[in-house]
Amino acid sequence: MKITEKNHVTELLFSVALLCVFLITGVLVIMTGANVYRNTVRNSDRNYHLQTSLSYITEKIRQNDSGGVSLGETDDGVPALLLSSQYQDTAYITYIYACDREMRELFVRQGLPADSSDGTALLQINSLEFEKTDEGLLQITVSDTEGNTFSTLIHPSAEPDANASQTETAEEGGGL
């Protein structure tokens, strides 16, 4: 009988040890999966803010690419992208800029004050820079709070002076 009891104890210890190894392996797999998920979510959020901000600005430039794209600043000196537009014979300017770690947009009638604190917050970012290159391209660079930076180049297809003459020609030729 002693041999049978030793076999049962050995089998029991082996089963408990196997269960412990299984539990430890399971916990390690769950911890690894949680870490991968956490990194994926963080990278997804970062890419969302950076790429969405660049996509948004690029689309706004394309919508206003009739000679109304320029670089400037708000009335309180914050560098901004200025998008000029015309609605019902009234000129408006859309300012896109970074203020208080946010990308903001301000839509005002031309000639009215444009204070950076009045803009609508769109996305959380760290900085937003606009630069005109020698080749006539507009470089837009955005960075997040972790120091990640994305940049894009866009070529506005219309120059302000060239578009003004095209608009006048189109209006003159289309009258009834």
Side-chain angles (χ1 to χ4, degrees), residues 58-80:
T58 301
E59 187 59 31
K60 289 296 249 183
I61 289 172
R62 289 182 180 143
Q63 289 174 356
N64 291 286
D65 197 12
S66 58
V69 178
S70 61
L71 299 180
E73 55 186 37
T74 62
D75 290 343
D76 53 349
V78 175

Side-chain angles (χ1 to χ4, degrees), residues 15-33:
S15 297
V16 169
L18 188 60
L19 179 64
C20 288
V21 168
F22 177 73
L23 290 175
I24 290 171
T25 304
V27 169
L28 289 175
V29 167
I30 290 171
M31 289 174 51
T32 302

